[in-house]
Every structure is written in structure tokens, then in C-alpha cells.
Amino acid sequence: MPVADTSQLISGVAERYASSLFDLAKEAGEIDSVTRELDAFEAMIAESTDLKRLVMSPVFSAEDQARAIGAIVDQGKIAGLAGNFLKVVAANRRLFALPGIIRSFRQLAAADRGEVAAEVTSAHSLDEAQQRELAAALKDVTGKTVSLNIHVDPSILGGLIVKVGSRQIDTSLRTKLSSLKLALKEVG
């Protein structure tokens, strides 16, 4: 299966699961609490290579994944709707789609609040003033209040990669260097 087909499959699964969770959270009036719980779980994944491996690896059985996620949810005090949802995702062997599910859920929650979500990748963490300035600049471009989901990736060397909806702005130093390298190959 080509990579594009795989990413579309993951995207479709993520959107369906996120939409179902969002509908349940909205009905229960728990959108904010579910968002916080998913953020906490995402932070756990980022901090633990073992958890990241459990989520992304197809090697683990459904039983192992469900048991591990159940223990993590209970230990991490991720309760209610979000906790049950994570257990269902594990039982259905869809943990690989969890990053996309969380991203899609955030987008649905932002749209419900009349906001647009922006995925921002930065080479280093942004301070409060930089975050406010970026949000204001994106509000000028989109015409909507923008909620920032910031990820730090030192491999981009510098600059930012900003995704808002289907639009992406890549000012990363890594991309600029790659373009320069390509241009130099064409010349020489």
C-alpha cells in the first residue's frame, strides 16, 4: 500500500473517531474537559518512548494495548469520557491513529468555539509574547480567533511551520537550506 493511501486511511479513521468523541463530549457538555484529558495523554506520549512505541507499533496485541492503556488511564487519572474513549481506541487496535484523532478533536472543538486551530512547529519553545504575536498575525490572516497547538522540533533548526486548515506556511531553516541545496545542484 503506498504511503499516501496509508496516510489517508489513518486520516479517515482519525476523523471518524474524533467526530464520534466530539459528538459525545458536546452532548455531555464536556468538550473542555475531554480536550484537557487528551492534551494530558498526548503529553504522556511525548514524554515516554515506551508509551510512544505502544501507541505506534503494530507488534503489540489488542489485549496488551488495551491492558496497558487501561492501566495508564487509571494511573494518569484520565477519567470519564476521555478515559473510556482511549480504552475503546486501544481495544479496537486504533492507537496508531491517536495523534490524528487528538488533532482532529482539537479542530472540531475550536470550530465549535468559533475558532480555527493552528498546528505550529517551532525549533524552540515560544514564550507568551511570541505566542500572542503569532496568534494575532494568524487572526489577521484568517479573520478568526486562532488557538495554537505548539510542538517543538529542534530538527527544523529555526523558523516555524504553521498549518491552518489545508494551508501550510513553512519558514523553517531546514526547508530553506534544502531549497538552496537543490538550487545549487541545478546550477552546478
Side-chain angles (χ1 to χ4, degrees), residues 7-183:
S7 66
Q8 288 174 349
L9 172 70
I10 292 171
S11 176
V13 167
E15 289 171 7
R16 285 192 303 277
Y17 273 79
S19 180
S20 296
L21 177 59
F22 180 78
D23 290 345
L24 291 170
K26 185 169 181 137
E27 186 178 303
E30 296 182 16
I31 295 172
D32 291 340
S33 64
V34 170
T35 301
R36 281 191 304 274
E37 300 284 343
L38 291 177
D39 288 347
F41 191 76
E42 186 178 50
M44 287 181 204
I45 293 171
E47 293 170 6
S48 170
T49 55
D50 289 338
L51 181 54
K52 191 178 297 181
R53 192 172 21 257
L54 175 76
V55 167
M56 300 310 285
S57 176
V59 172
F60 297 99
S61 71
E63 296 79 26
D64 289 342
Q65 286 181 330
R67 191 171 31 256
I69 292 299
I72 291 165
V73 162
D74 294 342
Q75 192 175 44
K77 296 184 178 32
I78 297 176
L81 196 55
N84 290 336
F85 176 78
L86 291 170
K87 291 175 185 177
V88 167
V89 170
N92 291 344
R93 296 204 39 91
R94 297 293 185 258
L95 286 178
F96 65 89
L98 206 48
I101 292 170
I102 294 171
R103 188 171 37 257
S104 293
F105 183 87
R106 278 192 193 117
Q107 290 171 346
L108 291 168
D112 187 64
R113 292 187 303 267
E115 299 176 350
V116 64
E119 296 290 328
V120 178
T121 304
S122 172
H124 57 82
S125 56
L126 303 177
D127 63 32
E128 289 294 321
Q130 291 170 321
Q131 289 181 34
R132 280 193 305 274
E133 186 176 329
L134 179 58
L138 291 172
K139 183 176 183 173
D140 289 344
V141 171
T142 63
K144 294 185 177 185
T145 302
V146 178
S147 63
L148 302 176
N149 301 314
I150 300 172
H151 307 283
V152 176
D153 181 0
S155 74
I156 70 168
L157 304 175
L160 298 171
I161 300 172
V162 180
K163 294 177 189 171
V164 180
S166 62
R167 294 170 32 183
Q168 177 172 309
I169 303 162
D170 187 343
T171 64
S172 68
L173 186 54
R174 178 180 63 195
T175 298
K176 288 180 181 181
L177 289 172
S178 294
S179 297
L180 181 61
K181 183 178 177 182
L182 185 61

